[in-house]
Amino acid sequence: MECPRGLAGVVVDQTKISSTAGAHLTYAGYPIEELAHASFEEVVFLLWHTRLPSENEIAVFRHQLVSQMVLPAETVRLLLYVAKEPQHPMSILRTTTSLLGTTNDVDHDEPPKILAKMLITVAAIIRIRANEPLLEVDPHLGVVENFLYLMTGKRPSKELARMFSTVMILHADHEFNASTFTARVVASTFADYYSCLTAAVCALKGPLHGGANERVFEMLLEIKEQGLDPREFVEDQVKQKRKIMGFGHRIYKNGDPRAAILKQIAGKLAAKTGNSEYFEIQRQLADYMLQRFNLHPNVDYYTSLIYHCLGLDKEVFTMLFAACRTVGWLAHVMEQRNENCLIRPNSEYVGPTDRHYLGEQIQKRGHA
Ligand SMILES: CC(C)(COP(=O)(O)OP(=O)(O)OC[C@H]1O[C@@H](n2cnc3c(N)ncnc32)[C@H](O)[C@@H]1OP(=O)(O)O)[C@@H](O)C(=O)NCCC(=O)NCCS
């Protein structure tokens, strides 16, 4: 039997959290096209409980999340030191996620508190990097409004908060993607939540996964600043055997359903913030990639422009992905723990066989 590289097409376990069957993304059975209109808190609740909350449950849940968007003093002290360093923000997030597991109650902390800590950590890293003071949550605002406020220092309009809720919802989960699977592998050994999240952040960092959104913006910047023709840019990259970031997907070969929604948001925000030139480059690139390679944009393609329109540096884009995906990581860690079976696959050994250490040593000594 041929071994499937990269576990492509392999069903490794069952889940009730989300599905990409038939290239349609659903969370607990609801299509993401419909959930894009829900509140972020509702979707978090759905992914964690596989049912929608009542009005009362949402209010309690929202309060639970917002009130815990505070960092322990020790974490702030460390962040003030490390977040200014030239290291990549995802490296800082990785270290801080691990640190959260030592400055909080690693054995008893529950997902609402952990999600709140991850959101405030990402916002704090962004503020410290920008030499801006850390802000306190506004108890009158929801999670998304607070997250935007804590990052940018501006209370968002209703329209912006709605658009950003959709962005966060679309990034919240994606069945057994690389970082979620990583979290599940760690969870399957019964390691604590913070260890699972630290491992997931590491997996998300790479350019073939969450790290792609930063690379997409680098590409747009290069095309715009150097006045390049997007088609020539593509051909040049292909000649150098480089992939075009933000295109292609392991599962969606005919288009990522999230990208279709994100495209609309990117277009609107770009027009509002004077970034239409980037959107036009994206349009030309996407047309050419489809015509030339039959490759469609993925979730990271339009998100990069959305984050740029919020006034954020490209280096922090992948951290925003991590903040949103923490919802799914936690959902999967809970599911893995509840129905645990240690994840320990086999490999097909293709190295040399029938070698004998003792015989080789005797031979070597004989020659010496
Ligand atoms: C996402 C990704 C890793 C999926 O990978 P995969 O399922 O393993 O598919 P492969 O990388 O084997 O790609 C299949 C073919 O399409 C080509 N391809 C896929 N994505 C491409 C891209 N972005 N640019 C150029 N060619 C690409 C590959 O070179 C390969 O061609 P070949 O068969 O001639 O060798 C891949 O599409 C990619 O690297 N994309 C760019 C990074 C990115 O945007 N990541 C975010 C994902 S959400």
Side-chain angles (χ1 to χ4, degrees):
M1 195 179 66
E2 208 173 306
C3 153
R5 303 288 321 278
L7 294 179
V10 176
V11 174
V12 293
D13 207 342
Q14 298 183 324
T15 181
K16 294 190 177 80
I17 301 168
S18 64
S19 162
T20 56
H24 295 296
L25 177 58
T26 54
Y27 293 168
Y30 296 93
I32 44 117
E33 289 77 7
E34 293 178 31
L35 290 175
H37 303 282
S39 74
F40 177 68
E41 292 86 343
E42 256 181 313
V43 172
V44 178
F45 192 99
L46 173 68
L47 289 167
W48 289 357
H49 301 275
T50 62
R51 69 168 177 86
L52 286 170
S54 66
E55 284 298 310
N56 188 42
E57 280 172 325
I58 301 182
V60 171
F61 191 50
R62 182 170 294 141
H63 173 74
Q64 202 184 4
L65 289 169
V66 169
S67 63
Q68 301 201 74
M69 287 170 81
V70 189
L71 282 176
E74 303 93 311
T75 311
V76 173
R77 265 204 300 280
L78 175 99
L79 273 181
L80 287 170
Y81 179 66
V82 295
K84 283 202 173 142
E85 294 295 306
Q87 273 87 17
H88 193 276
M90 278 298 279
S91 300
I92 294 163
L93 180 65
R94 177 199 59 216
T95 302
T96 315
T97 308
S98 175
L99 184 85
L100 285 173
T102 59
T103 51
N104 288 280
D105 187 343
V106 73
D107 293 323
H108 301 103
D109 281 358
E110 290 297 327
K113 175 178 171 188
I114 300 171
L115 173 62
K117 300 293 175 217
M118 288 293 279
L119 293 174
I120 180 79
T121 296
V122 168
I125 295 173
I126 290 173
R127 296 291 287 175
I128 294 169
R129 275 175 51 86
N131 281 319
E132 296 286 355
L134 298 184
L135 300 167
E136 282 182 21
V137 281
D138 181 338
H140 305 294
L141 301 180
V143 175
V144 174
E145 293 84 345
N146 261 307
F147 187 43
L148 277 169
Y149 167 60
L150 295 171
M151 278 191 290
T152 64
K154 291 181 214 134
R155 285 179 169 76
S157 66
K158 269 210 163 89
E159 193 191 7
L160 179 62
R162 179 60 263 163
M163 285 195 258
F164 199 64
S165 289
T166 301
V167 173
M168 291 188 76
I169 289 166
L170 295 179
H171 282 79
D173 195 43
H174 205 224
E175 50 116 350
F176 280 35
N177 60 87
S179 56
T180 301
F181 186 60
T182 303
R184 287 192 78 126
V185 171
V186 181
S188 82
T189 69
F190 282 145
D192 62 275
Y193 280 111
Y194 294 100
S195 300
C196 299
L197 295 194
T198 306
V201 169
C202 294
L204 187 77
K205 186 173 188 268
L208 297 190
H209 192 7
N213 59 12
E214 177 181 345
R215 273 43 169 225
V216 170
F217 197 72
E218 277 167 6
M219 166 176 77
L220 300 181
L221 203 61
E222 189 180 334
I223 294 174
K224 179 170 174 273
E225 306 270 284
Q226 297 184 22
L228 305 173
D229 177 337
R231 287 163 303 186
E232 280 170 20
F233 175 87
V234 169
E235 291 304 331
D236 187 51
Q237 297 294 305
V238 172
K239 238 186 251 158
Q240 299 183 56
K241 301 211 175 315
R242 290 198 190 139
K243 283 185 167 171
I244 312 299
M245 290 291 129
F247 287 91
H249 200 276
R250 173 63 67 80
I251 289 171
Y252 306 122
K253 298 302 178 194
N254 293 314
D256 183 330
R258 300 164 297 177
I261 305 171
L262 292 166
K263 180 180 177 182
Q264 313 257 327
I265 298 176
K268 265 191 213 156
L269 272 180
K272 266 183 181 283
T273 54
N275 284 298
S276 295
E277 212 179 319
Y278 285 118
F279 190 62
E280 176 53 23
I281 294 172
Q282 287 198 311
R283 191 189 63 72
Q284 291 181 27
L285 267 174
D287 285 353
Y288 191 61
M289 288 296 287
L290 187 62
Q291 173 207 322
R292 174 84 164 78
F293 304 106
N294 197 27
L295 282 171
H296 296 260
N298 57 45
V299 69
D300 293 308
Y301 189 61
Y302 294 107
T303 323
S304 67
L305 180 55
I306 294 173
Y307 296 158
H308 173 72
C309 293
L310 293 176
L312 299 168
D313 293 342
K314 63 182 170 51
E315 288 78 13
V316 306
F317 290 1
T318 310
M319 276 206 310
L320 290 198
F321 193 156
C324 309
R325 186 52 60 82
T326 300
V327 176
W329 292 336
L330 288 167
H332 284 269
V333 171
M334 284 187 266
E335 187 175 62
Q336 184 67 43
R337 285 177 161 206
N338 288 338
E339 291 161 39
N340 195 46
C341 174
L342 178 73
I343 300 176
R344 199 294 187 199
N346 290 105
S347 60
E348 179 191 358
Y349 177 71
V350 293
T353 54
D354 208 20
R355 288 167 138 184
H356 299 284
Y357 175 78
L358 287 179
E360 286 182 19
Q361 289 306 310
I362 291 165
Q363 244 185 350
K364 259 192 216 162
R365 276 185 219 127
H367 286 302

